[in-house]
Amino acid sequence: MTANPHLTIVDHPLVQHKLTIMRDKGTSTKGFRQLLKEISLLLGYEILRDLPITTTTIDTPMEEMEAPTLAGKKLVLVSILRAGNGLLEGIHDLVPSARVGYVGLYRDEETLKPVQYYFKVPSDLGDRPVIVVDPMLATGNSTVAAVDLLKEAGAKDIRFLCLLAAPEGVARMAEAHPDVPIVTAALDRQLNDKGYILPGLGDAGDRMFGTK
Ligand code: URA
């Protein structure tokens, strides 16, 4: 794992292998979705590494013990619609008791600016760790907008999970939300003039849902 305080790149061989298959334009919709789910379990493991922990007294069949258990309130997973749902599926399997929120943003293809159409999150966000998920951190516009909305709704402990990041998006997040750590599988070269990541994997939503 490569880490700086703001960006963590998960360079585990399994993550990198799966990502290469996902990038390949010959990979089917079914294969892409399956791999995204698998990779989100591995990325989820990393982003949740420092969750607060406490102990509880239990009886094993042998004796009583003080055993580790997660502390505090259940965490919240927030998917940025629609592509976020692909990452959400895997990480929700990893933490089935997590609460789930949705932020609906679409990208205006002319301005590349996010337009909000939906926002639904648990009411007590301030007491819970919040993991925002979206596969592609490209311009960073929609991530910054989603985090703005979550902070307005009271969230204090926010982390962002993506599959691929562009340097432009990482810089934008570092400027707008330096308190939000980012975990990703790769930091790609750059954006093209339409705001797509190069070399990237194309449109993540289209690839996971078979739309075009
Ligand atoms: N969104 C995508 O789905 N792909 C990109 O490359 C950039 C934004």
Side-chain angles (χ1 to χ4, degrees), residues 107 136 138 195-197 200-205:
R107 185 160 73 155
M136 310 298 270
Y196 279 82
I197 297 177
L201 49 72
D203 188 298

PDB file of all heavy atoms in Angstrom, residues 107 136 138 195-197 200-205, ligand 1:
ATOM      1  N   ARG A 107     -23.502  14.623 -14.300  1.00  0.00           N
ATOM      2  CA  ARG A 107     -22.520  15.574 -14.796  1.00  0.00           C
ATOM      3  C   ARG A 107     -23.054  16.233 -16.056  1.00  0.00           C
ATOM      4  O   ARG A 107     -23.367  15.553 -17.033  1.00  0.00           O
ATOM      5  CB  ARG A 107     -21.216  14.820 -15.097  1.00  0.00           C
ATOM      6  CG  ARG A 107     -20.102  15.737 -15.502  1.00  0.00           C
ATOM      7  CD  ARG A 107     -18.772  15.074 -15.331  1.00  0.00           C
ATOM      8  NE  ARG A 107     -18.494  14.051 -16.318  1.00  0.00           N
ATOM      9  CZ  ARG A 107     -17.270  13.684 -16.661  1.00  0.00           C
ATOM     10  NH1 ARG A 107     -16.234  14.240 -16.090  1.00  0.00           N
ATOM     11  NH2 ARG A 107     -17.071  12.740 -17.544  1.00  0.00           N
ATOM     12  N   MET A 136     -15.073   6.653 -10.008  1.00  0.00           N
ATOM     13  CA  MET A 136     -14.123   7.493 -10.749  1.00  0.00           C
ATOM     14  C   MET A 136     -13.980   8.867 -10.110  1.00  0.00           C
ATOM     15  O   MET A 136     -14.937   9.656 -10.088  1.00  0.00           O
ATOM     16  CB  MET A 136     -14.608   7.652 -12.196  1.00  0.00           C
ATOM     17  CG  MET A 136     -14.974   6.347 -12.877  1.00  0.00           C
ATOM     18  SD  MET A 136     -13.611   5.208 -13.023  1.00  0.00           S
ATOM     19  CE  MET A 136     -12.945   5.685 -14.601  1.00  0.00           C
ATOM     20  N   ALA A 138     -12.603  11.968 -11.155  1.00  0.00           N
ATOM     21  CA  ALA A 138     -12.096  12.565 -12.397  1.00  0.00           C
ATOM     22  C   ALA A 138     -11.784  14.051 -12.175  1.00  0.00           C
ATOM     23  O   ALA A 138     -10.723  14.385 -11.664  1.00  0.00           O
ATOM     24  CB  ALA A 138     -13.107  12.322 -13.514  1.00  0.00           C
ATOM     25  N   GLY A 195     -13.191  15.340 -19.714  1.00  0.00           N
ATOM     26  CA  GLY A 195     -13.200  15.003 -18.287  1.00  0.00           C
ATOM     27  C   GLY A 195     -13.146  13.517 -18.015  1.00  0.00           C
ATOM     28  O   GLY A 195     -13.433  13.080 -16.896  1.00  0.00           O
ATOM     29  N   TYR A 196     -12.763  12.720 -19.014  1.00  0.00           N
ATOM     30  CA  TYR A 196     -12.598  11.273 -18.797  1.00  0.00           C
ATOM     31  C   TYR A 196     -11.144  10.970 -18.417  1.00  0.00           C
ATOM     32  O   TYR A 196     -10.217  11.641 -18.879  1.00  0.00           O
ATOM     33  CB  TYR A 196     -13.011  10.476 -20.039  1.00  0.00           C
ATOM     34  CG  TYR A 196     -14.512  10.302 -20.104  1.00  0.00           C
ATOM     35  CD1 TYR A 196     -15.317  11.310 -20.602  1.00  0.00           C
ATOM     36  CD2 TYR A 196     -15.119   9.148 -19.612  1.00  0.00           C
ATOM     37  CE1 TYR A 196     -16.702  11.184 -20.623  1.00  0.00           C
ATOM     38  CE2 TYR A 196     -16.500   9.000 -19.631  1.00  0.00           C
ATOM     39  CZ  TYR A 196     -17.282  10.028 -20.132  1.00  0.00           C
ATOM     40  OH  TYR A 196     -18.643   9.893 -20.133  1.00  0.00           O
ATOM     41  N   ILE A 197     -10.996   9.936 -17.595  1.00  0.00           N
ATOM     42  CA  ILE A 197      -9.664   9.587 -17.094  1.00  0.00           C
ATOM     43  C   ILE A 197      -8.888   8.791 -18.146  1.00  0.00           C
ATOM     44  O   ILE A 197      -9.437   7.874 -18.772  1.00  0.00           O
ATOM     45  CB  ILE A 197      -9.790   8.772 -15.783  1.00  0.00           C
ATOM     46  CG1 ILE A 197     -10.469   9.624 -14.688  1.00  0.00           C
ATOM     47  CG2 ILE A 197      -8.423   8.282 -15.314  1.00  0.00           C
ATOM     48  CD1 ILE A 197     -10.713   8.887 -13.366  1.00  0.00           C
ATOM     49  N   GLY A 200      -7.562   5.132 -17.862  1.00  0.00           N
ATOM     50  CA  GLY A 200      -8.921   4.932 -17.377  1.00  0.00           C
ATOM     51  C   GLY A 200      -9.534   3.591 -17.723  1.00  0.00           C
ATOM     52  O   GLY A 200      -8.835   2.584 -17.944  1.00  0.00           O
ATOM     53  N   LEU A 201     -10.863   3.596 -17.761  1.00  0.00           N
ATOM     54  CA  LEU A 201     -11.599   2.384 -18.145  1.00  0.00           C
ATOM     55  C   LEU A 201     -12.875   2.753 -18.887  1.00  0.00           C
ATOM     56  O   LEU A 201     -13.761   1.917 -19.073  1.00  0.00           O
ATOM     57  CB  LEU A 201     -11.881   1.489 -16.931  1.00  0.00           C
ATOM     58  CG  LEU A 201     -12.491   2.107 -15.668  1.00  0.00           C
ATOM     59  CD1 LEU A 201     -13.934   2.469 -15.837  1.00  0.00           C
ATOM     60  CD2 LEU A 201     -12.307   1.139 -14.500  1.00  0.00           C
ATOM     61  N   GLY A 202     -12.994   4.020 -19.281  1.00  0.00           N
ATOM     62  CA  GLY A 202     -14.205   4.472 -19.971  1.00  0.00           C
ATOM     63  C   GLY A 202     -15.232   4.960 -18.967  1.00  0.00           C
ATOM     64  O   GLY A 202     -14.892   5.384 -17.861  1.00  0.00           O
ATOM     65  N   ASP A 203     -16.499   4.893 -19.368  1.00  0.00           N
ATOM     66  CA  ASP A 203     -17.580   5.351 -18.486  1.00  0.00           C
ATOM     67  C   ASP A 203     -17.963   4.203 -17.554  1.00  0.00           C
ATOM     68  O   ASP A 203     -18.490   3.175 -17.996  1.00  0.00           O
ATOM     69  CB  ASP A 203     -18.780   5.781 -19.338  1.00  0.00           C
ATOM     70  CG  ASP A 203     -19.845   6.432 -18.482  1.00  0.00           C
ATOM     71  OD1 ASP A 203     -20.391   5.750 -17.586  1.00  0.00           O
ATOM     72  OD2 ASP A 203     -20.127   7.617 -18.693  1.00  0.00           O
ATOM     73  N   ALA A 204     -17.676   4.379 -16.269  1.00  0.00           N
ATOM     74  CA  ALA A 204     -17.872   3.275 -15.313  1.00  0.00           C
ATOM     75  C   ALA A 204     -19.340   2.850 -15.250  1.00  0.00           C
ATOM     76  O   ALA A 204     -19.651   1.657 -15.199  1.00  0.00           O
ATOM     77  CB  ALA A 204     -17.372   3.693 -13.938  1.00  0.00           C
ATOM     78  N   GLY A 205     -20.248   3.833 -15.271  1.00  0.00           N
ATOM     79  CA  GLY A 205     -21.687   3.502 -15.212  1.00  0.00           C
ATOM     80  C   GLY A 205     -22.098   2.688 -16.423  1.00  0.00           C
ATOM     81  O   GLY A 205     -22.774   1.660 -16.310  1.00  0.00           O
TER      82      GLY A 205
HETATM   83  N1  URA B   1     -16.609   9.100 -15.097  1.00  0.00           N
HETATM   84  C1  URA B   1     -16.398   7.911 -15.693  1.00  0.00           C
HETATM   85  O1  URA B   1     -17.243   7.038 -15.655  1.00  0.00           O
HETATM   86  N2  URA B   1     -15.221   7.716 -16.339  1.00  0.00           N
HETATM   87  C2  URA B   1     -14.270   8.654 -16.423  1.00  0.00           C
HETATM   88  O2  URA B   1     -13.218   8.408 -17.006  1.00  0.00           O
HETATM   89  C3  URA B   1     -14.502   9.895 -15.768  1.00  0.00           C
HETATM   90  C4  URA B   1     -15.676  10.096 -15.117  1.00  0.00           C
END
